[in-house]
């Protein structure tokens, strides 16, 4: 059986995999590889698969996406051919929540300004800063990652407001609101943080009026998906100084085009969709993949697999 | 009664103070003010008082230091004249511990590198980073601030090793060592963090051999006092790449001289002794000062005062 892996892995990870599964032929190559036609399994970051490539991959029966989001996987053909899709949800927990908390602290405590001064050999004690303590954090998407963020923020003495469909209480949240209550809640927030996946409900959910409702001293962070808010609305909010700062890990177009106006703002922090990147990323992906591959080779039922994605729902 | 305040306070803080104490004359000026001779109380950051100035301040009976450290207060004349010294210990807890945790996260997650790229409009997904999770933090000085740092770091899944004189267990620490065990413990640490005050015991405690014992991937942070380690030893460690990065909020000479070699290293983060700075700093200092001033005006015994410093011990 052939497995094509288009993800980056160094020898220290390849070797144990090859040794553990002697009956499997592993091909480490890009998606345009001639091995595509033979592959029964593809391991991918999820951004290289198109409808026509899947048409070419006639033997393909399982796509392992080394990422949490599967919105780049062409759903219709996958559903039609009943291709199994699994993902790596869960592995981002530590690194991503660390980066999010890191930015919330850094911007409250003016660390980027201090670093800029440090790089220019400037000793400036007049840099003003505030505190995380006492802030209200509005957490859009209090799911797996949201819980990890909340757990880490809690001892900083913050108030956490979560948002979900039902408004039912979510662990660690001081308060939970529904989607309908979003606009009226925004003015309370010192930090608005989206970790929402891309669904019909969340696409362009955040609009100009939401930025207008924010405190001028508040921070807007998007670590969910780029289609949550139109880029032009973020630019507008920055131009009108509606918010203190913006941190973005996701964008409508990735990589963010060179001529995007977002690059021009000192208070717009752009991280190139690597908030979950870490030395531990690929090892943990393989920790999910290996037991699934064993189950696959054994012909086990679907219930034996972990991280199975429902492509109808998109998560 | 005259009070001379050499600390920075805007009108929003001055007015309520003046209103609360109608019998007190408050003078907001620098230490060279002619009011020095008349002042019974001085409120200072602690870095402007010299022996000769205190000699001039013949009526001086109480120094309120709006800081935690009192090492710049000339101890002999203060003890001789039995001048009361109080400080603002405790007010730094939130901002300082936030900044410390912020740097530990930021450097693990490569946020400064990402920010530098962002400022230069560079989309680079190849930036490598690691995680706070699983790191061992060696906390030198697990006192008030240390406890606050520990409390905030705990949910990140770190191991905390504290160091104190007795080696007796300190809350929140997974392990506590004595000063004698420092050198042998250093190789275990991913982060070495000093928050030690300046005492005879801690002065130049950290030497070349300690840097040499550190992991090459580890972070060294000094948020205690600058005399904990010689500047030339830090420079040496950076030149020899003995550590991954250094974060310094305190220095042998402050402000750090322009020609200091520390400025030259990309991986040496210099914060100009403002880790405890915050919008909330002066309001909280006054929260300590006001009840003490009431006690002073009432002629209350020393036991009614908070934050009294024992100038023999230096804290």
């Amino acid at each position: 059986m052939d497995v094509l892996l288009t993800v980056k892995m160094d020898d220290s990870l390849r070797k144990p995999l090859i040794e553990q599964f002697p009956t499997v032929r592993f091909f480490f190559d890009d998606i345009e590889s001639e091995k595509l036609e033979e592959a029964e399994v593809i391991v991918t970051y999820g951004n290289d698969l198109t409808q026509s490539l899947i048409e070419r991959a006639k033997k393909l029966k399982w796509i392992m996406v080394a990422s949490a989001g599967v919105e780049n996987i062409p759903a219709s053909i996958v559903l039609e051919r009943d291709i199994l899709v699994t993902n790596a949800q869960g592995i981002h927990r530590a690194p991503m929540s660390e980066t999010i908390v890191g930015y919330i602290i850094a911007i409250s405590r003016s660390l980027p300004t201090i670093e800029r001064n440090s790089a220019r050999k400037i000793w400036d004690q007049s840099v003003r800063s505030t505190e995380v303590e006492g802030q209200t954090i509005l957490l859009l998407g209090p799911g797996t990652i949201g819980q990890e963020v909340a757990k880490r923020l809690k001892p900083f003495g913050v108030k956490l407001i979560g948002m979900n469909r039902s408004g039912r209480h979510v662990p660690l949240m001081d308060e939970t609101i529904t989607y309908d209550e979003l606009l009226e809640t925004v003015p309370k927030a010192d930090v608005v943080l989206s970790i929402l996946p891309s669904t019909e409900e969340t696409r362009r959910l955040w609009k100009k009026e939401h930025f207008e409702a924010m405190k001028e001293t508040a921070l807007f962070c998007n670590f969910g998906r780029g289609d949550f808010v139109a880029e032009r609305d973020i630019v507008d909010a920055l131009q009108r100084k509606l918010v203190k700062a913006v941190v973005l890990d996701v964008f409508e177009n990735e990589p963010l085009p060179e001529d995007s106006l977002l690059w021009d703002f000192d208070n717009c922090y752009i991280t190139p969709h690597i908030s979950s990147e870490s030395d531990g990323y690929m090892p943990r992906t393989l920790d999910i993949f290996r037991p699934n591959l064993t189950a696959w080779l054994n012909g086990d039922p679907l219930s034996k697999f972990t991280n199975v994605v429902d492509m109808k729902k998109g998560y």
Side-chain angles (χ1 to χ4, degrees), chain A:
Chain A
M1 188 196 72
D2 292 359
V3 177
L4 173 62
L5 301 97
T6 66
V7 296
K8 272 180 230 153
M9 279 171 62
D10 57 30
D11 273 349
S12 67
L13 294 171
R14 289 179 188 192
K15 274 187 191 163
L17 191 66
I18 292 165
E19 281 165 19
Q20 188 184 343
F21 299 99
T23 63
V24 175
R25 294 197 298 177
F26 293 98
F27 298 97
F28 302 91
D29 205 341
D30 61 42
I31 199 72
E32 304 283 356
S33 160
E34 55 185 22
K35 301 296 172 192
L36 178 67
E37 277 82 7
E38 300 300 319
E40 190 172 314
V41 182
I42 292 178
V43 182
T44 165
Y45 291 116
N47 52 3
D48 55 0
L49 271 177
T50 61
Q51 167 104 12
S52 65
L53 283 166
I54 295 181
E55 278 164 10
R56 270 179 53 198
K58 292 207 174 7
K59 297 190 180 168
L60 181 63
K61 285 181 189 150
W62 173 22
I63 302 170
M64 160 73 187
V65 185
S67 159
V70 294
E71 69 277 7
N72 292 320
I73 306 293
S76 58
I77 187 168
V78 165
L79 285 166
E80 196 185 293
R81 277 179 46 191
D82 200 23
I83 295 170
L84 172 64
V85 177
T86 59
N87 69 4
Q89 207 198 330
I91 66 163
H92 311 82
R93 285 177 201 182
M96 194 166 165
S97 57
E98 289 178 11
T99 287
I100 291 170
V101 175
Y103 272 109
I104 291 172
I105 301 173
I107 286 163
S108 298
R109 304 294 304 137
S110 299
L111 304 191
T113 307
I114 294 169
E115 281 154 29
R116 274 193 282 257
N117 285 341
S118 176
R120 287 190 233 139
K121 308 192 182 192
I122 294 171
W123 178 278
D124 179 8
Q125 293 192 308
S126 73
V127 174
R128 311 300 308 160
S129 58
T130 181
E131 294 164 28
V132 178
E133 187 164 298
Q135 290 191 24
T136 296
I137 319 281
L138 177 54
L139 225 164
L140 312 179
T144 315
I145 301 285
Q147 285 293 304
E148 296 291 323
V149 171
K151 189 177 85 178
R152 288 167 175 81
L153 274 177
K154 207 80 187 169
F156 284 84
V158 296
K159 181 178 179 182
L160 293 165
I161 305 179
M163 181 186 79
N164 60 17
R165 281 185 200 79
S166 62
R168 235 174 304 164
H169 176 70
V170 172
L172 295 176
M173 298 297 130
D174 295 294
E175 208 179 293
T176 314
I177 60 163
T178 64
Y179 280 52
D180 291 339
E181 295 165 297
L182 176 57
L183 188 57
E184 69 191 71
T185 310
V186 167
K188 294 182 191 168
D190 298 298
V191 176
V192 173
L193 166 63
S194 171
I195 331 176
L196 290 165
S198 175
T199 66
E200 257 179 59
E201 212 172 356
T202 63
R203 227 159 276 150
R204 297 287 174 101
L205 175 64
W206 192 267
K207 299 187 179 68
K208 237 178 210 182
E209 58 187 9
H210 295 93
F211 277 124
E212 285 165 355
M214 280 180 77
K215 286 187 193 176
E216 278 176 26
T217 53
L219 170 66
F220 176 84
C221 305
N222 189 8
F223 284 80
R225 283 295 179 251
D227 57 11
F228 172 65
V229 48
E231 183 175 319
R232 62 168 182 278
D233 290 344
I234 308 176
V235 170
D236 177 73
L238 286 161
Q239 279 169 339
R240 292 164 64 200
K241 298 184 196 303
L242 299 179
V243 293
K244 180 186 174 187
V246 169
V247 182
L248 303 170
D249 189 45
V250 289
F251 306 87
E252 285 189 309
N253 297 301
E254 297 183 15
L256 183 66
E258 265 180 62
D259 61 355
S260 166
L261 295 175
L262 291 173
W263 292 111
D264 294 340
F265 298 91
D266 258 4
N267 57 339
C268 181
Y269 298 90
I270 290 161
T271 135
H273 206 149
I274 56 169
S275 69
S276 52
E277 200 286 317
S278 151
D279 291 348
Y281 190 102
M282 203 40 77
R284 285 209 204 107
T285 298
L286 292 175
D287 287 345
I288 293 175
F289 178 62
R290 276 192 306 257
N292 276 350
L293 183 55
T294 302
W296 185 261
L297 294 171
N298 291 344
D300 286 342
L302 207 61
S303 61
K304 293 276 180 190
F305 286 75
T306 58
N307 287 62
V308 176
V309 176
D310 181 342
M311 287 302 286
K312 276 180 214 143
K313 288 189 189 159
Y315 57 89

mmCIF file of all heavy atoms in Angstrom, chain A residues 245-279:
data_model
loop_
_atom_site.group_PDB
_atom_site.id
_atom_site.type_symbol
_atom_site.label_atom_id
_atom_site.label_comp_id
_atom_site.label_asym_id
_atom_site.label_seq_id
_atom_site.Cartn_x
_atom_site.Cartn_y
_atom_site.Cartn_z
ATOM 1 N N ALA A 245 -4.963 47.925 18.850
ATOM 2 C CA ALA A 245 -4.068 47.100 18.035
ATOM 3 C C ALA A 245 -4.834 45.904 17.483
ATOM 4 O O ALA A 245 -5.930 45.564 17.949
ATOM 5 C CB ALA A 245 -2.876 46.630 18.857
ATOM 6 N N VAL A 246 -4.243 45.299 16.467
ATOM 7 C CA VAL A 246 -4.828 44.134 15.804
ATOM 8 C C VAL A 246 -3.733 43.073 15.676
ATOM 9 O O VAL A 246 -2.608 43.395 15.310
ATOM 10 C CB VAL A 246 -5.351 44.525 14.400
ATOM 11 C CG1 VAL A 246 -5.725 43.303 13.586
ATOM 12 C CG2 VAL A 246 -6.542 45.475 14.512
ATOM 13 N N VAL A 247 -4.076 41.842 16.017
ATOM 14 C CA VAL A 247 -3.158 40.728 15.784
ATOM 15 C C VAL A 247 -3.848 39.730 14.871
ATOM 16 O O VAL A 247 -4.959 39.281 15.163
ATOM 17 C CB VAL A 247 -2.763 40.014 17.095
ATOM 18 C CG1 VAL A 247 -1.770 38.885 16.804
ATOM 19 C CG2 VAL A 247 -2.160 40.987 18.092
ATOM 20 N N LEU A 248 -3.206 39.407 13.766
ATOM 21 C CA LEU A 248 -3.820 38.511 12.788
ATOM 22 C C LEU A 248 -2.884 37.354 12.458
ATOM 23 O O LEU A 248 -1.728 37.571 12.103
ATOM 24 C CB LEU A 248 -4.133 39.279 11.496
ATOM 25 C CG LEU A 248 -5.032 40.515 11.645
ATOM 26 C CD1 LEU A 248 -5.050 41.298 10.338
ATOM 27 C CD2 LEU A 248 -6.439 40.118 12.059
ATOM 28 N N ASP A 249 -3.425 36.153 12.560
ATOM 29 C CA ASP A 249 -2.669 34.972 12.149
ATOM 30 C C ASP A 249 -3.279 34.373 10.888
ATOM 31 O O ASP A 249 -2.692 33.490 10.272
ATOM 32 C CB ASP A 249 -2.678 33.933 13.281
ATOM 33 C CG ASP A 249 -1.732 32.768 13.013
ATOM 34 O OD1 ASP A 249 -0.586 33.030 12.587
ATOM 35 O OD2 ASP A 249 -2.125 31.608 13.218
ATOM 36 N N VAL A 250 -4.463 34.855 10.524
ATOM 37 C CA VAL A 250 -5.191 34.317 9.364
ATOM 38 C C VAL A 250 -5.729 35.471 8.531
ATOM 39 O O VAL A 250 -6.007 36.544 9.052
ATOM 40 C CB VAL A 250 -6.358 33.410 9.835
ATOM 41 C CG1 VAL A 250 -5.832 32.117 10.426
ATOM 42 C CG2 VAL A 250 -7.248 34.130 10.840
ATOM 43 N N PHE A 251 -5.858 35.228 7.227
ATOM 44 C CA PHE A 251 -6.177 36.297 6.286
ATOM 45 C C PHE A 251 -7.096 35.779 5.182
ATOM 46 O O PHE A 251 -7.136 34.575 4.922
ATOM 47 C CB PHE A 251 -4.867 36.832 5.667
ATOM 48 C CG PHE A 251 -3.888 37.251 6.716
ATOM 49 C CD1 PHE A 251 -3.002 36.328 7.265
ATOM 50 C CD2 PHE A 251 -3.879 38.547 7.194
ATOM 51 C CE1 PHE A 251 -2.128 36.692 8.276
ATOM 52 C CE2 PHE A 251 -2.997 38.922 8.201
ATOM 53 C CZ PHE A 251 -2.112 37.997 8.743
ATOM 54 N N GLU A 252 -7.792 36.702 4.539
ATOM 55 C CA GLU A 252 -8.635 36.319 3.404
ATOM 56 C C GLU A 252 -7.781 35.675 2.319
ATOM 57 O O GLU A 252 -8.157 34.674 1.733
ATOM 58 C CB GLU A 252 -9.339 37.551 2.841
ATOM 59 C CG GLU A 252 -10.493 38.016 3.720
ATOM 60 C CD GLU A 252 -11.304 39.096 3.037
ATOM 61 O OE1 GLU A 252 -10.696 40.081 2.565
ATOM 62 O OE2 GLU A 252 -12.527 38.957 2.973
ATOM 63 N N ASN A 253 -6.628 36.272 2.060
ATOM 64 C CA ASN A 253 -5.699 35.692 1.093
ATOM 65 C C ASN A 253 -4.384 35.393 1.771
ATOM 66 O O ASN A 253 -3.783 36.280 2.377
ATOM 67 C CB ASN A 253 -5.448 36.679 -0.066
ATOM 68 C CG ASN A 253 -6.713 36.962 -0.826
ATOM 69 O OD1 ASN A 253 -7.338 36.054 -1.366
ATOM 70 N ND2 ASN A 253 -7.115 38.224 -0.843
ATOM 71 N N GLU A 254 -3.970 34.124 1.688
ATOM 72 C CA GLU A 254 -2.689 33.737 2.272
ATOM 73 C C GLU A 254 -1.810 33.127 1.197
ATOM 74 O O GLU A 254 -2.296 32.314 0.417
ATOM 75 C CB GLU A 254 -2.916 32.735 3.409
ATOM 76 C CG GLU A 254 -3.715 33.327 4.553
ATOM 77 C CD GLU A 254 -3.894 32.369 5.733
ATOM 78 O OE1 GLU A 254 -3.184 31.350 5.799
ATOM 79 O OE2 GLU A 254 -4.740 32.644 6.574
ATOM 80 N N PRO A 255 -0.518 33.491 1.124
ATOM 81 C CA PRO A 255 0.132 34.526 1.950
ATOM 82 C C PRO A 255 -0.487 35.902 1.744
ATOM 83 O O PRO A 255 -0.972 36.195 0.642
ATOM 84 C CB PRO A 255 1.583 34.513 1.465
ATOM 85 C CG PRO A 255 1.630 33.677 0.249
ATOM 86 C CD PRO A 255 0.397 32.881 0.164
ATOM 87 N N LEU A 256 -0.443 36.723 2.765
ATOM 88 C CA LEU A 256 -0.963 38.083 2.665
ATOM 89 C C LEU A 256 -0.203 38.822 1.562
ATOM 90 O O LEU A 256 1.020 38.900 1.603
ATOM 91 C CB LEU A 256 -0.780 38.797 4.002
ATOM 92 C CG LEU A 256 -1.347 40.218 4.092
ATOM 93 C CD1 LEU A 256 -2.855 40.228 3.978
ATOM 94 C CD2 LEU A 256 -0.911 40.887 5.393
ATOM 95 N N PRO A 257 -0.937 39.341 0.553
ATOM 96 C CA PRO A 257 -0.246 40.002 -0.564
ATOM 97 C C PRO A 257 0.635 41.165 -0.108
ATOM 98 O O PRO A 257 0.304 41.855 0.859
ATOM 99 C CB PRO A 257 -1.408 40.515 -1.432
ATOM 100 C CG PRO A 257 -2.587 39.684 -1.059
ATOM 101 C CD PRO A 257 -2.398 39.317 0.372
ATOM 102 N N GLU A 258 1.733 41.332 -0.813
ATOM 103 C CA GLU A 258 2.688 42.390 -0.464
ATOM 104 C C GLU A 258 2.062 43.775 -0.432
ATOM 105 O O GLU A 258 2.497 44.632 0.316
ATOM 106 C CB GLU A 258 3.828 42.413 -1.502
ATOM 107 C CG GLU A 258 5.029 41.604 -1.075
ATOM 108 C CD GLU A 258 6.108 41.661 -2.135
ATOM 109 O OE1 GLU A 258 6.601 42.763 -2.410
ATOM 110 O OE2 GLU A 258 6.421 40.584 -2.703
ATOM 111 N N ASP A 259 1.054 43.972 -1.276
ATOM 112 C CA ASP A 259 0.459 45.309 -1.337
ATOM 113 C C ASP A 259 -0.720 45.476 -0.381
ATOM 114 O O ASP A 259 -1.431 46.478 -0.434
ATOM 115 C CB ASP A 259 0.049 45.644 -2.775
ATOM 116 C CG ASP A 259 -1.001 44.671 -3.298
ATOM 117 O OD1 ASP A 259 -1.338 43.694 -2.583
ATOM 118 O OD2 ASP A 259 -1.487 44.882 -4.430
ATOM 119 N N SER A 260 -0.923 44.499 0.493
ATOM 120 C CA SER A 260 -2.003 44.656 1.483
ATOM 121 C C SER A 260 -1.704 45.840 2.381
ATOM 122 O O SER A 260 -0.574 46.019 2.848
ATOM 123 C CB SER A 260 -2.143 43.394 2.331
ATOM 124 O OG SER A 260 -2.945 43.672 3.463
ATOM 125 N N LEU A 261 -2.727 46.637 2.648
ATOM 126 C CA LEU A 261 -2.550 47.813 3.510
ATOM 127 C C LEU A 261 -2.288 47.420 4.961
ATOM 128 O O LEU A 261 -1.783 48.220 5.747
ATOM 129 C CB LEU A 261 -3.780 48.724 3.417
ATOM 130 C CG LEU A 261 -4.020 49.368 2.049
ATOM 131 C CD1 LEU A 261 -5.332 50.142 2.040
ATOM 132 C CD2 LEU A 261 -2.852 50.298 1.682
ATOM 133 N N LEU A 262 -2.642 46.182 5.315
ATOM 134 C CA LEU A 262 -2.436 45.733 6.700
ATOM 135 C C LEU A 262 -0.978 45.853 7.139
ATOM 136 O O LEU A 262 -0.677 46.104 8.303
ATOM 137 C CB LEU A 262 -2.893 44.281 6.865
ATOM 138 C CG LEU A 262 -4.392 44.016 6.778
ATOM 139 C CD1 LEU A 262 -4.666 42.520 6.796
ATOM 140 C CD2 LEU A 262 -5.128 44.704 7.927
ATOM 141 N N TRP A 263 -0.062 45.663 6.184
ATOM 142 C CA TRP A 263 1.371 45.730 6.504
ATOM 143 C C TRP A 263 1.780 47.113 6.993
ATOM 144 O O TRP A 263 2.820 47.271 7.634
ATOM 145 C CB TRP A 263 2.206 45.419 5.266
ATOM 146 C CG TRP A 263 2.167 44.023 4.734
ATOM 147 C CD1 TRP A 263 1.605 43.625 3.553
ATOM 148 C CD2 TRP A 263 2.751 42.832 5.302
ATOM 149 N NE1 TRP A 263 1.788 42.274 3.367
ATOM 150 C CE2 TRP A 263 2.493 41.760 4.424
ATOM 151 C CE3 TRP A 263 3.469 42.575 6.478
ATOM 152 C CZ2 TRP A 263 2.921 40.461 4.668
ATOM 153 C CZ3 TRP A 263 3.894 41.281 6.726
ATOM 154 C CH2 TRP A 263 3.615 40.246 5.827
ATOM 155 N N ASP A 264 0.995 48.128 6.634
ATOM 156 C CA ASP A 264 1.435 49.505 6.856
ATOM 157 C C ASP A 264 1.251 50.021 8.275
ATOM 158 O O ASP A 264 1.761 51.087 8.616
ATOM 159 C CB ASP A 264 0.688 50.456 5.900
ATOM 160 C CG ASP A 264 1.076 50.202 4.451
ATOM 161 O OD1 ASP A 264 2.146 49.594 4.238
ATOM 162 O OD2 ASP A 264 0.321 50.591 3.551
ATOM 163 N N PHE A 265 0.511 49.282 9.093
ATOM 164 C CA PHE A 265 0.204 49.806 10.427
ATOM 165 C C PHE A 265 1.145 49.228 11.486
ATOM 166 O O PHE A 265 1.270 48.019 11.619
ATOM 167 C CB PHE A 265 -1.249 49.500 10.797
ATOM 168 C CG PHE A 265 -2.245 50.146 9.878
ATOM 169 C CD1 PHE A 265 -2.705 49.466 8.748
ATOM 170 C CD2 PHE A 265 -2.695 51.438 10.112
ATOM 171 C CE1 PHE A 265 -3.613 50.066 7.883
ATOM 172 C CE2 PHE A 265 -3.596 52.032 9.256
ATOM 173 C CZ PHE A 265 -4.061 51.345 8.132
ATOM 174 N N ASP A 266 1.742 50.134 12.233
ATOM 175 C CA ASP A 266 2.617 49.757 13.354
ATOM 176 C C ASP A 266 1.889 48.901 14.383
ATOM 177 O O ASP A 266 2.502 48.083 15.069
ATOM 178 C CB ASP A 266 3.040 51.035 14.099
ATOM 179 C CG ASP A 266 4.435 51.447 13.730
ATOM 180 O OD1 ASP A 266 5.013 50.795 12.852
ATOM 181 O OD2 ASP A 266 4.935 52.424 14.312
ATOM 182 N N ASN A 267 0.610 49.149 14.525
ATOM 183 C CA ASN A 267 -0.173 48.447 15.546
ATOM 184 C C ASN A 267 -0.981 47.281 14.969
ATOM 185 O O ASN A 267 -1.936 46.818 15.577
ATOM 186 C CB ASN A 267 -1.084 49.417 16.302
ATOM 187 C CG ASN A 267 -2.019 50.173 15.364
ATOM 188 O OD1 ASN A 267 -1.741 50.277 14.176
ATOM 189 N ND2 ASN A 267 -3.114 50.691 15.896
ATOM 190 N N CYS A 268 -0.574 46.834 13.767
ATOM 191 C CA CYS A 268 -1.168 45.627 13.198
ATOM 192 C C CYS A 268 -0.083 44.553 13.143
ATOM 193 O O CYS A 268 0.875 44.654 12.378
ATOM 194 C CB CYS A 268 -1.736 45.907 11.809
ATOM 195 S SG CYS A 268 -2.502 44.445 11.070
ATOM 196 N N TYR A 269 -0.224 43.545 13.978
ATOM 197 C CA TYR A 269 0.792 42.500 14.108
ATOM 198 C C TYR A 269 0.395 41.314 13.241
ATOM 199 O O TYR A 269 -0.646 40.702 13.463
ATOM 200 C CB TYR A 269 0.942 42.085 15.575
ATOM 201 C CG TYR A 269 1.406 43.239 16.423
ATOM 202 C CD1 TYR A 269 0.488 44.093 17.030
ATOM 203 C CD2 TYR A 269 2.756 43.521 16.553
ATOM 204 C CE1 TYR A 269 0.919 45.183 17.773
ATOM 205 C CE2 TYR A 269 3.190 44.602 17.288
ATOM 206 C CZ TYR A 269 2.269 45.431 17.892
ATOM 207 O OH TYR A 269 2.695 46.515 18.626
ATOM 208 N N ILE A 270 1.223 41.037 12.272
ATOM 209 C CA ILE A 270 0.920 39.990 11.299
ATOM 210 C C ILE A 270 1.783 38.770 11.559
ATOM 211 O O ILE A 270 3.015 38.841 11.509
ATOM 212 C CB ILE A 270 1.142 40.527 9.869
ATOM 213 C CG1 ILE A 270 0.045 41.547 9.565
ATOM 214 C CG2 ILE A 270 1.125 39.385 8.841
ATOM 215 C CD1 ILE A 270 0.370 42.468 8.432
ATOM 216 N N THR A 271 1.122 37.668 11.878
ATOM 217 C CA THR A 271 1.861 36.421 12.007
ATOM 218 C C THR A 271 1.388 35.493 10.888
ATOM 219 O O THR A 271 0.196 35.349 10.663
ATOM 220 C CB THR A 271 1.772 35.814 13.445
ATOM 221 O OG1 THR A 271 1.512 34.421 13.344
ATOM 222 C CG2 THR A 271 0.724 36.483 14.297
ATOM 223 N N PRO A 272 2.313 34.948 10.113
ATOM 224 C CA PRO A 272 1.979 34.268 8.855
ATOM 225 C C PRO A 272 1.363 32.880 9.054
ATOM 226 O O PRO A 272 1.894 31.895 8.540
ATOM 227 C CB PRO A 272 3.319 34.210 8.134
ATOM 228 C CG PRO A 272 4.339 34.194 9.214
ATOM 229 C CD PRO A 272 3.766 34.981 10.354
ATOM 230 N N HIS A 273 0.242 32.829 9.743
ATOM 231 C CA HIS A 273 -0.485 31.571 9.963
ATOM 232 C C HIS A 273 0.449 30.483 10.520
ATOM 233 O O HIS A 273 0.430 29.341 10.038
ATOM 234 C CB HIS A 273 -1.164 31.085 8.668
ATOM 235 C CG HIS A 273 -2.367 30.230 8.961
ATOM 236 N ND1 HIS A 273 -3.474 30.174 8.147
ATOM 237 C CD2 HIS A 273 -2.634 29.403 10.002
ATOM 238 C CE1 HIS A 273 -4.367 29.339 8.653
ATOM 239 N NE2 HIS A 273 -3.886 28.858 9.779
ATOM 240 N N ILE A 274 1.247 30.867 11.505
ATOM 241 C CA ILE A 274 2.152 29.884 12.115
ATOM 242 C C ILE A 274 1.989 29.852 13.627
ATOM 243 O O ILE A 274 2.890 29.422 14.355
ATOM 244 C CB ILE A 274 3.637 30.152 11.762
ATOM 245 C CG1 ILE A 274 4.055 31.569 12.162
ATOM 246 C CG2 ILE A 274 3.907 29.891 10.296
ATOM 247 C CD1 ILE A 274 5.560 31.797 12.080
ATOM 248 N N SER A 275 0.822 30.308 14.099
ATOM 249 C CA SER A 275 0.650 30.359 15.555
ATOM 250 C C SER A 275 0.695 28.976 16.182
ATOM 251 O O SER A 275 0.964 28.830 17.363
ATOM 252 C CB SER A 275 -0.653 31.046 15.936
ATOM 253 O OG SER A 275 -1.751 30.248 15.569
ATOM 254 N N SER A 276 0.430 27.947 15.387
ATOM 255 C CA SER A 276 0.464 26.601 15.967
ATOM 256 C C SER A 276 1.768 25.885 15.643
ATOM 257 O O SER A 276 1.973 24.749 16.034
ATOM 258 C CB SER A 276 -0.722 25.791 15.478
ATOM 259 O OG SER A 276 -0.800 25.838 14.078
ATOM 260 N N GLU A 277 2.658 26.586 14.920
ATOM 261 C CA GLU A 277 3.944 25.982 14.566
ATOM 262 C C GLU A 277 4.764 25.751 15.832
ATOM 263 O O GLU A 277 4.751 26.543 16.754
ATOM 264 C CB GLU A 277 4.703 26.911 13.606
ATOM 265 C CG GLU A 277 5.783 26.232 12.798
ATOM 266 C CD GLU A 277 7.019 25.887 13.619
ATOM 267 O OE1 GLU A 277 7.459 26.720 14.431
ATOM 268 O OE2 GLU A 277 7.529 24.758 13.464
ATOM 269 N N SER A 278 5.459 24.644 15.846
ATOM 270 C CA SER A 278 6.300 24.320 16.996
ATOM 271 C C SER A 278 7.157 23.117 16.657
ATOM 272 O O SER A 278 6.780 22.298 15.826
ATOM 273 C CB SER A 278 5.408 24.013 18.201
ATOM 274 O OG SER A 278 6.045 23.106 19.057
ATOM 275 N N ASP A 279 8.280 23.041 17.341
ATOM 276 C CA ASP A 279 9.124 21.846 17.212
ATOM 277 C C ASP A 279 8.321 20.571 17.436
ATOM 278 O O ASP A 279 8.681 19.508 16.947
ATOM 279 C CB ASP A 279 10.205 21.859 18.302
ATOM 280 C CG ASP A 279 11.210 22.949 18.081
ATOM 281 O OD1 ASP A 279 11.196 23.539 16.984
ATOM 282 O OD2 ASP A 279 11.999 23.220 19.001
#
